[in-house]
Amino acid sequence: MMHLTVNRPLTTLLKHMYMYARQKHSTSSIPNDLIQVQANVASVLRQGGPVVALESTIITHGMPYPDNLRTAQEVESIIEQNDATPATIALMNGKLHIGLTQSDLQYLAKSTSPVKASRRDLAWVLSKGLTGGTTVSGTMIGAHRAGIHVFVTGGIGGVHREGQTSMDVSADLTELGRTPVAVISAGVKSILDIPRTLEYLETEGVTVATFGPSRDFPAFFLPSSGYQAPINVTSAREAAELIDYSLSLELGSGLLIGVPIPSSVATQGQQIEDAIQSALQQASVEGIHGKDVTPFILQRVNEITGGESLKANIALIQNNARVGSKIAQELSYIRREGSKRRSVTKTTEPTAKYGQPVVIGGSNVDLVSSIRSQSIQYGDGTNLGSVHITLGGVGRNIADCLSRLGTSPMFLSAIGRDSQGDTLLGLSSHMNTSAVSIIDDHSTATYSCVLDSDGAMVLGVGDMDVHIKITPAYVSEYEKYLSSAPLVCIDGNIPVDTIEYVCKYCAQHNTPVWYEPTCIVKSTQPFQSDCWKTISYISPNFKELCMISNCLHKKNNNAYQDHNNLTVHKQVEICIELCELLLQHMYCVVVTLGQYGVLVCRNAQPEEPFLIASSTPQERTASKMSAVHYPACNADHITSVSGAGDCLTGAMIARILQQSTPDDCIKSGLLAALCSTQTVMTVPASVSTIDELLASTICQPNRVL
């Protein structure tokens, strides 16, 4: 008895270790005779890069040809545009393919009798050498075997209506309970029993979250099913952190992240819902049941709505692809950086003792035209070049940069309820946009600019009327965030009365305010009253600093008009003189000098940490003023300078909040600005790599005062 008592636990432990070793081996190895990973996908996976899995039943059973092929190609393109690699999964020629070529997609789209392959069908389809489109469960298995953690689909299966008697429950749910893959979907189709589906997922131990500002669980064509998810994630970063922790705990179960349908097509939801109910009744009358119900319903609803349901279906899948790509990108970075990244985002001193930073400002969709020729044709001539659509808005750019550098801010802005707004939110999924106000009777701000062959702006046109909706009343809803923030950043796009409100409120709560001018015209907005005296930081360029000085002195100083002809030493001399007046009340002036770098003037010694809410209040006297000039980082080429200043500010703020040394704060800003100049994207994903560049950057600052 003594012998048995001692060794039974040991035997059990050895058995569990053996089973665990087998499970670990089976999920990490790839049997080449059964699974074929496309070369590009395999390469990205080896490097730990972002890969997004896609199912293939949407191609084989979800849509008619050629809509199915076009949708598959567009979704893969969206994933690539968002810096991730698509991996459509399907069964062909006796192998489970992870990633398809264009010819594979065409073959699959035109297949006449493909099998709809769930977990139970995989072995049979492979053994017979048949063609099969993988369902959610089939795709999850393939993704997990290949080491892909993020899977984008339209909607998952669930418990069918009357499922408590028919026991008709989708294999998707049990797969989520035993396969550690994050499924990004528009929730559950309304033809299913949604509350029982959520209960079943809870029983299976599946983490269910919604993406965006609300816990309302989406119902495919409807943004809300009327039921709530247990948790909510507001950004791609937050979603990726959730997935990372789940994978690190080796829970063995998956996650379901519900993304509501874009607002631009959600208005058609009720019409589609009525069509679904009609199709359900018809299916019941005709005796259609089991796995044949969903394709029948989708086809019938498409007929009833005159194709509107198909458009909405495609729109939500494309939106899920954008969100999933950003999540995969963030997850890739987190898992490569490991605990180092977690320590930045979770235990940085300012965010541990205080709330998150707040950014208040404009959000735009930008149309950037770059001219190739050195000479510009005006009038009837046509300039050859390239045209790109990207995101902009000074406030949005700064919030974007902060988010990519591990300091996700609360972002307050206003956009229209339109396709441009959907695009903006979709491409900003790595940010916390839950507080952005969506306005019915205004269009999302758009900005069009023309750049010369050197990347300098020639002409800009903006439609910014929606920014007047960033009102004091709207901002006041987030006063608790303002009062607890380590720093609040505002831009010149917001109305003057909102600027004055924010400055006054933050002054009452000792919260430093950073003002970022957006242009020469708007640079003087805070200086129309005494509210500027409560601002701690301001970051003008040379022209904007001259305009501010003119406003305060009530004179017309034209020094900026020919500043390009001034030497760097003369520009620095003028800036120091103009900053002296501002520093009688402000703490720091960061003057951007373009190719000449940046001049930092402040009421502190150069080696002292920058001021944030957690810092000991510093005396602001002119006698303590210091001025340090940092040269710009060298660039081999310049594509666009339109986002450089915003990236400099965003990176500086991120490092200030992380209490880095002043040198590292400013050098990080210069490196982020350099990253921005190398691409048409105002805030490229590459800004997240500036830590790797910082150690090797040679930048000798020059203290001039």
Side-chain angles (χ1 to χ4, degrees):
M1 292 295 294
M2 180 74 69
H3 178 78
L4 292 175
T5 303
V6 171
N7 285 280
R8 185 177 297 154
L10 179 60
T11 303
T12 303
L13 176 62
L14 290 172
K15 179 181 178 182
H16 285 171
M17 290 175 65
Y18 172 73
M19 294 299 294
Y20 178 74
R22 285 193 62 191
Q23 180 186 30
K24 291 289 285 183
H25 177 75
S26 66
T27 57
S28 61
S29 62
I30 300 177
N32 293 327
D33 59 330
L34 294 180
I35 296 181
Q36 181 170 318
V37 182
Q38 187 187 21
N40 183 44
V41 174
S43 175
V44 175
L45 287 172
R46 281 194 298 270
Q47 297 171 29
V51 178
V52 177
L54 297 168
E55 66 163 288
S56 49
T57 51
I58 192 173
I59 304 172
T60 58
H61 294 79
M63 297 178 186
Y65 182 83
D67 293 319
N68 57 350
L69 176 60
R70 182 170 59 251
T71 300
Q73 292 171 332
E74 289 175 350
V75 170
E76 287 203 347
S77 178
I78 287 170
I79 291 171
E80 290 170 345
Q81 290 169 16
N82 285 275
D83 300 323
T85 299
T88 301
I89 296 176
L91 301 162
M92 295 186 297
N93 304 318
K95 289 191 176 183
L96 179 59
H97 288 251
I98 314 296
L100 302 182
T101 64
Q102 287 301 308
S103 59
D104 290 336
L105 288 174
Q106 292 178 11
Y107 170 78
L108 203 62
K110 294 180 180 179
S111 297
T112 55
S113 55
V115 178
K116 187 175 184 181
S118 183
R119 169 182 276 265
R120 69 171 186 183
D121 310 298
L122 295 179
W124 179 74
V125 173
L126 290 177
S127 69
K128 296 297 183 182
L130 302 176
T131 297
T134 52
T135 64
V136 168
S137 66
T139 306
M140 288 181 70
I141 292 169
H144 180 47
R145 291 298 187 273
I148 301 171
H149 304 305
V150 177
F151 161 36
V152 164
T153 184
I156 68 164
V159 178
H160 284 252
R161 299 187 184 191
E162 304 302 324
Q164 68 273 23
T165 55
S166 68
M167 298 299 292
D168 192 350
V169 179
S170 171
D172 297 351
L173 305 188
T174 50
E175 202 61 52
L176 275 161
R178 59 186 170 187
T179 302
V181 171
V183 179
I184 316 300
S185 81
V188 179
K189 299 179 182 72
S190 60
I191 61 176
L192 303 171
D193 189 327
I194 294 177
R196 282 193 170 91
T197 296
L198 292 172
E199 286 290 342
Y200 198 102
L201 288 169
E202 180 182 357
T203 301
E204 290 289 325
V206 178
T207 299
V208 179
T210 55
F211 184 91
S214 171
R215 283 175 54 203
D216 290 341
F217 188 72
F220 204 67
F221 291 121
L222 297 175
S224 174
S225 63
Y227 302 92
Q228 289 200 324
I231 60 176
N232 166 244
V233 289
T234 60
S235 66
R237 183 184 303 278
E238 192 176 353
E241 288 173 345
L242 176 64
I243 298 167
D244 175 49
Y245 275 92
S246 180
L247 293 171
S248 298
L249 287 170
E250 297 184 350
L251 298 175
S253 53
L255 303 90
L256 176 63
I257 299 179
V259 181
I261 187 172
S263 57
S264 59
V265 290
T267 53
Q268 305 160 5
Q270 193 55 54
Q271 174 195 358
I272 298 172
E273 182 64 24
D274 293 341
I276 289 172
Q277 298 306 317
S278 174
L280 278 169
Q281 293 178 6
Q282 184 177 348
S284 177
V285 170
E286 296 184 14
I288 298 171
H289 54 81
K291 66 179 183 180
D292 297 326
V293 171
T294 298
F296 172 82
I297 295 297
L298 292 177
Q299 180 180 350
R300 187 72 189 103
V301 168
N302 189 49
E303 294 169 355
I304 295 172
T305 61
E308 291 302 312
S309 66
L310 179 60
K311 293 179 183 177
N313 195 356
I314 293 172
L316 69 84
I317 293 169
Q318 292 176 340
N319 186 56
N320 292 349
R322 294 186 188 96
V323 173
S325 300
K326 296 298 183 183
I327 293 174
Q329 189 181 75
E330 291 293 335
L331 180 62
S332 168
Y333 186 62
I334 288 172
R335 294 189 74 76
R336 278 182 289 149
E337 292 295 308
S339 60
K340 175 183 174 182
R341 183 170 175 85
R342 288 199 196 112
S343 67
V344 170
T345 57
K346 292 299 181 185
T347 61
T348 298
E349 181 68 12
T351 52
K353 291 179 65 177
Y354 291 81
Q356 61 192 129
V358 178
V359 178
I360 310 171
S363 298
N364 309 334
V365 175
D366 290 353
L367 183 69
V368 182
S369 303
S370 300
I371 298 174
R372 294 177 190 155
S373 174
Q374 291 287 338
S375 60
I376 300 175
Q377 299 292 324
Y378 294 96
D380 296 332
T382 299
N383 293 280
L384 296 180
S386 58
V387 180
H388 301 272
I389 296 177
T390 183
L391 300 186
V394 171
R396 198 216 69 85
N397 292 344
I398 293 172
D400 187 345
C401 191
L402 281 165
S403 298
R404 294 184 187 277
L405 291 172
T407 310
S408 183
M410 171 65 70
F411 178 46
L412 307 184
S413 188
I415 62 174
R417 193 180 297 278
D418 50 25
S419 58
Q420 291 94 333
D422 288 336
T423 297
L424 193 148
L425 291 178
L427 295 178
S428 302
S429 57
H430 58 290
M431 300 163 50
N432 180 358
T433 57
S434 60
V436 173
S437 179
I438 302 176
I439 311 298
D440 288 319
D441 56 350
H442 279 73
S443 300
T444 298
T446 53
Y447 177 73
S448 177
C449 67
V450 179
L451 308 178
D452 63 20
S453 57
D454 294 324
M457 190 171 70
V458 177
L459 179 69
V461 179
D463 177 3
M464 310 289 184
D465 289 349
V466 71
H467 293 154
I468 64 173
K469 293 296 184 178
I470 308 175
T471 62
Y474 158 58
V475 175
S476 68
E477 297 176 16
Y478 300 91
E479 284 185 344
K480 66 177 182 179
Y481 295 97
L482 298 178
S483 60
S484 64
L487 186 144
V488 172
C489 179
I490 57 177
D491 77 15
N493 283 311
I494 64 178
V496 174
D497 57 344
T498 305
I499 292 174
E500 293 178 349
Y501 162 75
V502 172
C503 289
K504 180 179 179 181
Y505 184 84
C506 288
Q508 293 171 351
H509 293 82
N510 297 315
T511 303
V513 173
W514 184 306
Y515 178 67
E516 175 70 16
T518 56
C519 62
I520 294 178
V521 175
K522 294 182 179 179
S523 62
T524 60
Q525 285 200 130
F527 300 90
Q528 306 302 319
S529 67
D530 284 343
C531 82
W532 72 273
K533 296 179 180 179
T534 63
I535 293 174
S536 297
Y537 295 87
I538 188 169
S539 44
N541 59 30
F542 185 87
K543 290 183 179 181
E544 291 163 348
L545 179 61
C546 290
M547 283 294 293
I548 291 168
S549 176
N550 289 348
C551 180
L552 291 177
H553 288 290
K554 307 300 182 185
K555 67 177 184 179
N556 185 21
N557 180 357
N558 294 323
Y560 69 86
Q561 292 185 353
D562 60 349
H563 79 286
N564 290 326
N565 297 322
L566 299 175
T567 66
V568 59
H569 300 291
K570 186 61 178 178
Q571 286 195 39
V572 167
E573 180 183 325
I574 293 173
C575 288
I576 291 175
E577 180 183 347
L578 298 181
C579 286
E580 286 181 335
L581 175 60
L582 296 180
L583 291 176
Q584 291 178 16
H585 299 279
M586 290 183 178
Y587 166 72
C588 180
V589 182
V590 180
V591 188
T592 56
L593 300 173
Q595 62 179 327
Y596 295 135
V598 63
L599 175 70
V600 179
C601 300
R602 59 177 175 140
N603 285 318
Q605 295 304 304
E607 66 278 3
E608 292 181 26
F610 282 103
L611 175 72
I612 55 175
S614 61
S615 301
T616 302
Q618 302 184 30
E619 297 178 9
R620 302 183 185 182
T621 60
S623 61
K624 290 188 64 178
M625 177 182 171
S626 65
V628 183
H629 173 247
Y630 287 77
C633 299
N634 294 328
D636 295 332
H637 73 282
I638 294 178
T639 301
S640 170
V641 298
S642 61
D646 302 340
C647 284
L648 184 141
T649 296
M652 275 195 65
I653 292 175
R655 296 305 180 233
I656 288 171
L657 295 176
Q658 293 163 10
Q659 296 184 314
S660 299
T661 66
D663 274 359
D664 282 354
C665 291
I666 300 162
K667 290 176 183 177
S668 294
L670 290 169
L671 286 169
L674 175 64
C675 290
S676 179
T677 64
Q678 307 299 291
T679 172
V680 294
M681 303 295 292
T682 50
V683 187
S686 58
V687 300
S688 62
T689 66
I690 61 175
D691 276 346
E692 302 169 13
L693 303 173
L694 190 59
S696 60
T697 299
I698 300 176
C699 177
Q700 295 297 332
N702 175 32
R703 181 172 180 179
V704 291
L705 184 65

